[in-house]
Amino acid sequence: MSSRRLTTEEALSLLFNWDSDEEEDVSETEDLSEAEDNVIDDPDCQFSDEEEDSEGECAAISTSNENQRMQQSSSTEETWTSKDERIILDMTNLEGRRVFQEKWKPLDQTDLHAYIGILILAGVYRSKGEATASLCNEENGRPIFRATMSLKTFLKISRVIRFDNRETRAGRRDRDKLAAIRDVWDKWVEILPLLYNPGPHVTVDERLVPFRGRCPFRQYMPNKPAKYGIKIWAACDAESSYAWNMQVYTGKLPGGASEKNQGIRVVLQMSEGLQGHNITCDNFFTSYWLGEELQKRKLTMLGTIRRNKPELPSEILKMQGRSLHSSLFVFTEKATVVSYKEKQECSCHEHNAHRCISEHKR
């Protein structure tokens, strides 16, 4: 891996000017899961230049030229790349023309950067849950939002922004649930290590991004605050929390088979490219075999481990008779395991079991 770090301008240039060379299977069948994309709600219809236009006109499909170009691509099934190598910009303009037809004013790169800048700035202002209209309100809003673009333009771009060609998505989604953003996501993850050199300690863990919308790989995790969302595996710098590598979990493998040794696979993939670092992880990931594999890559590991792991000697699991808060160490040539007694074992009789549970909860 190259040690050269990119500037912010270089990173944006790579992301927005990236030429996707992946071959796409073109499907002529409409993606029913995206059926709502064909309809514009009444509030969105206000974006037309003429207020009296009907919803049917707002929801019109792409122009004849666009249809002709799509049919040609569908018949040849050749490798597809955007004509000016700007995937986000081209796909957004394509969707804008499909939805608004001649009323769509094509975006340029400056427009797109301004739109993304507003999103980032809204995060800086901690505007989660705040109505979009309030950001641009003349009395209580923030002047920089109004100076950048009108609320009408911002909502219009939000309606049609796309990261892929939705007309060819159905075929790609059959083999990749993340097809709608796969190209841009992978390129963004590829850029992350070029922007930051992590410190000596890196953590690998899961993160649930809250989301309750429609998504074929949305997860339910009752132990998380949000409970519903999209699960992401992430390798982050332990001190700054910078995400050095990320991977979206899209569910079970094709065929419904459960993945074996998933935790080991995740750590090895998330730490690929690191050297001389220590990886910290929890008991979902930790195993003796994982530690050996990381050592081959000149990495060390620190983590908790589950009691049922076969590599643990039975003696280290015995707590009876040990002093409270005592530690028992076991060594090999390459690893150290410590067993810590956190609390005293229960000595209650069976008829006092309910009382015992109540006392322990206190």
Side-chain angles (χ1 to χ4, degrees):
M1 175 178 297
S2 173
S3 60
R4 176 179 176 268
R5 293 176 57 182
L6 301 179
T7 64
T8 303
E9 292 76 11
E10 290 174 330
L12 287 173
S13 178
L14 280 175
L15 186 59
F16 293 125
N17 298 332
W18 179 53
D19 182 7
S20 173
D21 57 359
E22 285 192 12
E23 183 175 346
E24 299 184 355
D25 291 337
V26 180
S27 172
E28 296 179 356
T29 305
E30 181 71 14
D31 185 2
L32 297 180
S33 65
E34 299 292 333
E36 74 278 5
D37 287 348
N38 294 329
V39 180
I40 299 183
D41 298 329
D42 290 340
D44 290 338
C45 289
Q46 64 181 328
F47 303 145
S48 60
D49 296 331
E50 300 176 9
E51 293 293 332
E52 67 273 17
D53 286 343
S54 66
E55 180 179 349
E57 290 174 337
C58 287
I61 308 301
S62 58
T63 61
S64 58
N65 290 337
E66 287 297 335
N67 284 333
Q68 183 178 2
R69 191 171 70 86
M70 289 301 174
Q71 292 174 3
Q72 181 179 3
S73 176
S74 176
S75 62
T76 59
E77 295 189 356
E78 61 185 5
T79 300
W80 183 91
T81 56
S82 58
K83 58 186 178 181
D84 55 358
E85 302 181 1
R86 293 175 298 182
I87 188 171
I88 301 178
L89 192 59
D90 279 358
M91 294 303 98
T92 300
N93 280 325
L94 181 62
E95 183 70 4
R97 289 191 295 269
R98 186 188 71 84
V99 173
F100 298 106
Q101 290 194 340
E102 69 279 358
K103 296 169 186 175
W104 172 255
K105 180 182 177 181
L107 301 178
D108 58 25
Q109 202 165 25
T110 300
D111 297 326
L112 186 59
H113 285 177
Y115 173 80
I116 295 178
I118 288 179
L119 296 179
I120 296 175
L121 194 57
V124 172
Y125 283 137
R126 301 182 182 276
S127 301
K128 180 180 179 181
E130 184 177 354
T132 306
S134 68
L135 297 175
C136 301
N137 186 274
E138 293 185 1
E139 296 182 0
N140 303 320
R142 299 169 180 85
I144 190 171
F145 289 99
R146 298 194 304 273
T148 303
M149 66 175 57
S150 66
L151 175 62
K152 178 179 177 180
T153 301
F154 178 83
L155 294 176
K156 194 171 185 179
I157 297 175
S158 299
R159 167 65 183 84
V160 299
I161 189 167
R162 291 294 183 273
F163 304 91
D164 77 322
N165 186 346
R166 70 181 303 275
E167 299 294 336
T168 67
R169 187 183 302 161
R172 289 178 284 113
R173 180 173 281 173
D174 290 340
R175 60 182 184 271
D176 182 10
K177 295 179 182 179
L178 203 64
I181 63 169
R182 171 62 69 186
D183 289 347
V184 176
W185 171 270
D186 286 349
K187 188 59 182 177
W188 178 66
V189 171
E190 181 183 329
I191 292 174
L192 287 177
L194 303 179
L195 300 176
Y196 186 83
N197 294 325
H201 299 284
V202 174
T203 61
V204 174
D205 204 351
E206 64 183 18
R207 174 180 174 84
L208 188 71
V209 179
F211 182 73
R212 286 183 172 267
R214 294 198 316 163
C215 179
F217 47 88
R218 187 184 65 176
Q219 300 290 306
Y220 171 67
M221 303 178 69
N223 60 325
K224 300 290 186 180
K227 292 183 172 55
Y228 291 92
I230 298 174
K231 185 164 75 172
I232 296 179
W233 307 116
C236 302
D237 179 87
E239 183 175 354
S240 67
S241 299
Y242 179 86
W244 190 82
N245 196 1
M246 303 180 74
Q247 185 181 98
V248 177
Y249 176 65
T250 56
K252 292 184 178 181
L253 299 173
S258 299
E259 182 181 3
K260 295 182 179 180
N261 299 320
Q262 184 183 67
I264 296 175
R265 189 268 304 168
V266 169
V267 174
L268 293 178
Q269 288 186 349
M270 290 295 97
S271 61
E272 189 172 353
L274 292 174
Q275 194 173 85
H277 295 78
N278 179 76
I279 306 298
T280 302
C281 48
D282 62 23
N283 60 22
F284 175 77
F285 306 95
T286 307
S287 70
Y288 184 79
W289 186 84
L290 173 60
E292 286 189 323
E293 289 300 311
L294 290 175
Q295 283 187 336
K296 296 176 182 177
R297 302 183 180 186
K298 298 183 179 181
L299 297 169
T300 58
M301 179 185 68
L302 173 65
T304 56
I305 188 169
R306 293 177 178 176
R307 294 173 56 92
N308 61 355
K309 291 292 184 179
E311 59 263 36
L312 293 178
S314 58
E315 289 79 7
I316 202 173
L317 303 177
K318 296 177 181 178
M319 294 293 170
Q320 190 172 4
R322 287 175 49 182
S323 301
L324 186 64
H325 304 310
S326 63
S327 298
L328 179 62
F329 289 84
V330 177
F331 302 93
T332 68
E333 293 182 358
K334 298 181 178 180
T336 300
V337 178
V338 57
S339 172
Y340 175 71
K341 186 172 182 178
E342 179 183 7
K343 55 187 177 182
Q344 195 63 266
E345 64 268 14
C346 177
S347 59
C348 302
H349 297 290
E350 292 183 3
H351 64 277
N352 288 329
H354 178 73
R355 178 182 176 185
C356 170
I357 294 174
S358 300
E359 291 292 332
H360 283 205
K361 284 184 177 179
R362 293 180 185 178

